[in-house]
Amino acid sequence: MNATRLLCSTVLLVIFGSALALGQYADDYRSAATGNWSAAGTWERYSGSAWEAATTAPTSAVGAVTIQNGHTVTVAGDVTVDSVTILAGGQVVVDPGVTLTIAYNDSTLGIDVDSLGTLLVNGIIRCEGKLSGEDTGIIFADGSVYDHARNSGSVPMSTWQDGSTMRLSGVTGLSPSNTNQNFYNIEIDCPAMTANLNLGMSGNTIGGDVTVIRTGPQRYYLTAPNAYVDPITINGNIYVLGGVLSSNGSSSQASIVVHTWGNVIVTGGNFGCSRGSGTSVSWYLHGDSMVVSNATLQNSTSSPDRVQKFIFAKQG
């Protein structure tokens, strides 16, 4: 190798090494000011050697996207992203009626919220990939929806305000982690389920309703005996429109207690106090009514000392 070629190679290595050290690559984006996500003026784009004013807004087709300290970026129209980092002091706000889709990115980085950053969701997060961060930094407001549109993965640890909904729609054979949170509403609509799954709840309080629409030929349970320690409380109604809902399904010995303070309305599918043959369950119904039509009630027990029962507990 002659001296000229050696010098050129050295310069290229220095430039490439500097980009790696800074974590910056061509087509990365960062916020330049507070503004609308879809406005090019909100962004800067890394050309490979310098940050320049962006000519288009970022989507999942670009590189990494960073929301910087002091900037609030508002998502006012539907967009699909991945590899987004919200730094301390940065904020992303999803407007009501707007869907922010997190594309699948090899389960590495979808949207990550720094412990002092904020993602405030008034609309819909459709998660096909990963959303992570501190529960104080991810906030689902009244009327918002988190839609877990993938198998496995994890539901983000979040602040679930009154009126928010955690929806499972893409689960098939593996339930996501972190489903044992104090959600407000829960909605399960998973028509392609291939296994019986559970939310792993213990001591959790659901502030609103639990609605089951579809579970394929399988069942979704509130908990499992190996996960359960403390009573589960549902302050709103239970709606079973289809599929199968029950407290648990394992045959391991345990005693499970569930309290429902609203009504139970079953208009399709199958609703069971317990589908575990070795588990005792006391499901207290504190609401005004339990209405069942065009549906099945079913329990499963094979042990004479295991008792599974709905207890109509409202006074009067």
Side-chain angles (χ1 to χ4, degrees):
M1 181 180 292
N2 60 37
T4 302
R5 291 176 62 191
L6 179 61
L7 178 60
C8 290
S9 299
T10 302
V11 171
L12 287 172
L13 285 171
V14 169
I15 294 173
F16 183 65
S18 297
L20 288 177
L22 294 172
Q24 298 163 354
Y25 299 89
D27 215 26
D28 283 356
Y29 275 69
R30 70 182 184 187
S31 61
T34 290
N36 191 300
W37 184 289
S38 299
T42 304
W43 303 101
E44 293 178 329
R45 175 185 171 276
Y46 194 66
S47 67
S49 59
W51 288 103
E52 301 173 349
T55 57
T56 59
T59 66
S60 60
V62 305
V65 179
T66 302
I67 312 300
Q68 300 198 97
N69 179 28
H71 296 162
T72 295
V73 178
T74 301
V75 182
D78 295 352
V79 67
T80 299
V81 302
D82 67 18
S83 302
V84 177
T85 300
I86 304 173
L87 296 179
Q91 180 172 243
V92 170
V93 178
V94 182
D95 277 354
V98 172
T99 299
L100 173 62
T101 298
I102 303 173
Y104 182 76
N105 187 13
D106 197 27
S107 292
T108 52
L109 175 61
I111 296 180
D112 182 68
V113 184
D114 184 275
S115 59
L116 297 177
T118 304
L119 172 62
L120 174 59
V121 184
N122 299 294
I124 301 170
I125 294 286
R126 177 178 169 82
C127 186
E128 300 170 358
K130 182 178 181 181
L131 172 58
S132 59
E134 298 288 337
D135 57 358
T136 54
I138 303 174
I139 302 167
F140 287 92
D142 182 14
S144 67
V145 176
Y146 170 80
D147 182 6
H148 194 81
R150 58 163 295 181
N151 188 46
S152 189
S154 61
V155 174
M157 299 299 296
S158 307
T159 298
W160 304 91
Q161 294 184 351
D162 288 1
S164 63
T165 298
M166 191 284 293
R167 175 192 297 153
L168 301 177
S169 66
V171 177
T172 55
L174 295 170
S175 192
S177 60
N178 299 334
T179 53
N180 57 337
Q181 299 183 55
N182 294 332
F183 303 110
Y184 190 78
N185 295 316
I186 295 178
E187 183 177 295
I188 298 173
D189 187 9
C190 301
M193 279 177 57
T194 59
N196 297 329
L197 302 173
N198 73 85
L199 298 171
M201 290 192 163
S202 177
N204 296 109
T205 297
I206 306 306
D209 301 332
V210 174
T211 302
V212 178
I213 300 172
R214 293 178 292 181
T215 62
Q218 309 298 329
R219 314 166 191 165
Y220 232 116
Y221 308 127
L222 296 179
T223 188
N226 62 357
Y228 177 87
V229 177
D230 295 313
I232 300 164
T233 300
I234 300 166
N235 285 333
N237 297 328
I238 294 176
Y239 297 96
V240 181
L241 311 181
V244 182
L245 175 67
S246 182
S247 61
N248 68 287
S250 171
S251 61
S252 302
Q253 291 194 6
S255 294
I256 292 173
V257 176
V258 181
H259 293 275
T260 299
W261 290 91
N263 300 321
V264 176
I265 302 165
V266 185
T267 58
N270 183 298
F271 179 47
C273 179
S274 174
R275 297 298 296 272
S277 59
T279 307
S280 288
V281 176
S282 296
W283 197 316
Y284 291 84
L285 305 177
H286 302 273
D288 294 320
S289 62
M290 180 177 185
V291 180
V292 182
S293 61
N294 299 314
T296 302
L297 297 182
Q298 183 175 349
N299 284 356
S300 303
T301 181
S302 60
S303 176
D305 61 346
R306 302 284 98 184
V307 179
Q308 302 168 347
K309 55 191 175 183
F310 289 117
I311 301 169
F312 293 87
K314 183 174 182 178
Q315 295 300 312

